[in-house]
Amino acid sequence: MIPKGVLNIPYPYMIFANMQALGLSSVKNVVKVGDTISDIREGVQAGVWTVGVVEGSSQLGLSQQEYQQLSTEVQEDVYRKAEIGFRQAGAQFVIRNLSQLPALIQALGMEKH
């Protein structure tokens, strides 16, 4: 629960409030996953690992149905454009969809033991 009066995205305070609530003392143990540029900016400002998710994102600008109706070539083109936007905002990682998140968490050595 975010305390009343805590500033929202892209300010980093919601992340810090969640860290405090979860008893996390280091931003190195936190991953911010988002589908908007504001989400990415929040993570960057907090100093946490920051991941952009392309499919379903406002950055992509397409519904899932619209995206799936595109040819593979066009899907890759719009994916790259969305990825560039996330990277320019400071995302350290960009994934196609949330199914790729567990592998990324594992690669960062942050999987729950």
Side-chain angles (χ1 to χ4, degrees):
M1 177 87 181
I2 303 301
K4 208 172 196 178
V6 172
L7 295 174
N8 290 328
I9 296 170
Y11 297 99
Y13 310 118
M14 288 191 334
I15 290 175
F16 297 147
N18 284 323
M19 287 176 63
Q20 185 176 14
L22 294 169
L24 300 173
S25 61
S26 174
V27 294
K28 294 177 184 175
N29 298 324
V30 177
V31 177
K32 169 64 180 188
V33 179
D35 63 355
T36 67
I37 296 299
S38 291
D39 288 334
I40 301 307
R41 289 181 180 146
E42 178 190 22
V44 169
Q45 289 197 41
V48 301
W49 294 105
T50 306
V51 181
V53 181
V54 173
E55 288 183 8
S57 71
S58 62
Q59 188 67 13
L60 186 63
L62 299 169
S63 70
Q64 182 176 4
Q65 182 180 3
E66 291 169 328
Y67 180 74
Q68 289 174 341
Q69 289 176 348
L70 299 174
S71 69
T72 303
E73 182 179 306
V74 175
Q75 282 181 355
E76 287 304 311
D77 186 48
V78 296
Y79 173 86
R80 281 190 297 277
K81 289 176 183 173
E83 178 181 18
I84 288 168
F86 283 134
R87 296 234 184 241
Q88 287 176 339
Q92 290 129 327
F93 303 97
V94 177
I95 57 177
R96 185 170 300 277
N97 57 53
L98 289 175
S99 71
Q100 297 174 318
L101 187 60
L104 176 58
I105 298 294
Q106 187 174 20
L108 291 172
M110 300 175 75
E111 68 273 14
K112 191 173 181 177
H113 295 282

